[in-house]
mmCIF file of all heavy atoms in Angstrom:
data_model
loop_
_atom_site.group_PDB
_atom_site.id
_atom_site.type_symbol
_atom_site.label_atom_id
_atom_site.label_comp_id
_atom_site.label_asym_id
_atom_site.label_seq_id
_atom_site.Cartn_x
_atom_site.Cartn_y
_atom_site.Cartn_z
ATOM 1 N N SER A 34 -5.969 17.597 6.329
ATOM 2 C CA SER A 34 -6.834 17.360 5.165
ATOM 3 C C SER A 34 -7.853 16.294 5.524
ATOM 4 O O SER A 34 -7.542 15.376 6.291
ATOM 5 C CB SER A 34 -6.019 16.943 3.927
ATOM 6 O OG SER A 34 -5.292 15.749 4.204
ATOM 7 N N VAL A 35 -9.066 16.397 4.975
ATOM 8 C CA VAL A 35 -10.169 15.536 5.431
ATOM 9 C C VAL A 35 -10.919 14.984 4.204
ATOM 10 O O VAL A 35 -11.265 15.711 3.282
ATOM 11 C CB VAL A 35 -11.143 16.340 6.290
ATOM 12 C CG1 VAL A 35 -12.382 15.501 6.630
ATOM 13 C CG2 VAL A 35 -10.489 16.797 7.562
ATOM 14 N N ALA A 36 -11.171 13.666 4.250
ATOM 15 C CA ALA A 36 -12.070 13.010 3.306
ATOM 16 C C ALA A 36 -13.196 12.396 4.108
ATOM 17 O O ALA A 36 -12.972 11.711 5.105
ATOM 18 C CB ALA A 36 -11.341 11.959 2.489
ATOM 19 N N VAL A 37 -14.435 12.660 3.690
ATOM 20 C CA VAL A 37 -15.604 12.122 4.348
ATOM 21 C C VAL A 37 -16.299 11.125 3.394
ATOM 22 O O VAL A 37 -16.614 11.502 2.274
ATOM 23 C CB VAL A 37 -16.608 13.225 4.733
ATOM 24 C CG1 VAL A 37 -17.788 12.639 5.495
ATOM 25 C CG2 VAL A 37 -15.928 14.283 5.577
ATOM 26 N N LEU A 38 -16.547 9.916 3.890
ATOM 27 C CA LEU A 38 -17.167 8.887 3.067
ATOM 28 C C LEU A 38 -18.588 8.665 3.594
ATOM 29 O O LEU A 38 -18.765 8.256 4.735
ATOM 30 C CB LEU A 38 -16.368 7.575 3.131
ATOM 31 C CG LEU A 38 -14.852 7.716 2.921
ATOM 32 C CD1 LEU A 38 -14.171 6.377 3.000
ATOM 33 C CD2 LEU A 38 -14.573 8.416 1.575
ATOM 34 N N GLU A 39 -19.559 8.949 2.760
ATOM 35 C CA GLU A 39 -20.975 8.932 3.184
ATOM 36 C C GLU A 39 -21.769 7.983 2.310
ATOM 37 O O GLU A 39 -21.737 8.077 1.061
ATOM 38 C CB GLU A 39 -21.557 10.342 3.101
ATOM 39 C CG GLU A 39 -23.063 10.430 3.089
ATOM 40 C CD GLU A 39 -23.742 9.811 4.303
ATOM 41 O OE1 GLU A 39 -23.146 9.843 5.383
ATOM 42 O OE2 GLU A 39 -24.838 9.301 4.136
ATOM 43 N N ARG A 40 -22.500 7.076 2.917
ATOM 44 C CA ARG A 40 -23.192 6.031 2.188
ATOM 45 C C ARG A 40 -24.337 6.579 1.337
ATOM 46 O O ARG A 40 -24.607 6.086 0.239
ATOM 47 C CB ARG A 40 -23.760 5.011 3.179
ATOM 48 C CG ARG A 40 -24.458 3.837 2.529
ATOM 49 C CD ARG A 40 -24.729 2.768 3.542
ATOM 50 N NE ARG A 40 -25.654 1.763 3.049
ATOM 51 C CZ ARG A 40 -26.097 0.753 3.776
ATOM 52 N NH1 ARG A 40 -25.692 0.635 5.047
ATOM 53 N NH2 ARG A 40 -26.945 -0.129 3.284
ATOM 54 N N PHE A 41 -25.012 7.625 1.825
ATOM 55 C CA PHE A 41 -26.155 8.175 1.069
ATOM 56 C C PHE A 41 -25.826 9.623 0.660
ATOM 57 O O PHE A 41 -24.803 9.901 0.101
ATOM 58 C CB PHE A 41 -27.414 8.047 1.876
ATOM 59 C CG PHE A 41 -27.750 6.610 2.221
ATOM 60 C CD1 PHE A 41 -27.896 6.215 3.544
ATOM 61 C CD2 PHE A 41 -27.926 5.670 1.218
ATOM 62 C CE1 PHE A 41 -28.186 4.887 3.859
ATOM 63 C CE2 PHE A 41 -28.226 4.359 1.520
ATOM 64 C CZ PHE A 41 -28.355 3.961 2.845
ATOM 65 N N GLY A 42 -26.737 10.545 1.023
ATOM 66 C CA GLY A 42 -26.521 11.938 0.599
ATOM 67 C C GLY A 42 -25.940 12.819 1.674
ATOM 68 O O GLY A 42 -25.540 13.948 1.411
ATOM 69 N N GLY A 43 -25.895 12.319 2.907
ATOM 70 C CA GLY A 43 -25.383 13.121 4.020
ATOM 71 C C GLY A 43 -26.467 13.489 5.021
ATOM 72 O O GLY A 43 -27.624 13.696 4.647
ATOM 73 N N GLY A 44 -26.095 13.562 6.249
ATOM 74 C CA GLY A 44 -27.023 13.943 7.310
ATOM 75 C C GLY A 44 -27.410 12.818 8.231
ATOM 76 O O GLY A 44 -27.552 12.994 9.426
ATOM 77 N N GLY A 45 -27.632 11.623 7.650
ATOM 78 C CA GLY A 45 -27.988 10.454 8.456
ATOM 79 C C GLY A 45 -29.177 10.696 9.364
ATOM 80 O O GLY A 45 -30.083 11.484 9.049
ATOM 81 N N ALA A 46 -29.169 10.060 10.515
ATOM 82 C CA ALA A 46 -30.273 10.214 11.436
ATOM 83 C C ALA A 46 -30.315 11.643 12.011
ATOM 84 O O ALA A 46 -31.377 12.115 12.402
ATOM 85 C CB ALA A 46 -30.121 9.218 12.621
ATOM 86 N N SER A 47 -29.182 12.331 12.008
ATOM 87 C CA SER A 47 -29.133 13.725 12.515
ATOM 88 C C SER A 47 -30.068 14.622 11.705
ATOM 89 O O SER A 47 -30.786 15.440 12.289
ATOM 90 C CB SER A 47 -27.713 14.272 12.454
ATOM 91 O OG SER A 47 -26.802 13.488 13.188
ATOM 92 N N ALA A 48 -30.030 14.480 10.399
ATOM 93 C CA ALA A 48 -30.780 15.392 9.531
ATOM 94 C C ALA A 48 -32.293 15.159 9.609
ATOM 95 O O ALA A 48 -33.081 16.058 9.336
ATOM 96 C CB ALA A 48 -30.315 15.284 8.099
ATOM 97 N N ILE A 49 -32.690 13.915 9.958
ATOM 98 C CA ILE A 49 -34.148 13.666 10.070
ATOM 99 C C ILE A 49 -34.634 13.780 11.511
ATOM 100 O O ILE A 49 -35.785 13.515 11.801
ATOM 101 C CB ILE A 49 -34.501 12.276 9.509
ATOM 102 C CG1 ILE A 49 -33.822 11.154 10.277
ATOM 103 C CG2 ILE A 49 -34.163 12.210 8.013
ATOM 104 C CD1 ILE A 49 -34.267 9.775 9.877
#
Side-chain angles (χ1 to χ4, degrees):
S34 59
V35 173
V37 183
L38 312 181
E39 162 57 33
R40 183 169 167 183
F41 301 122
S47 302
I49 62 173

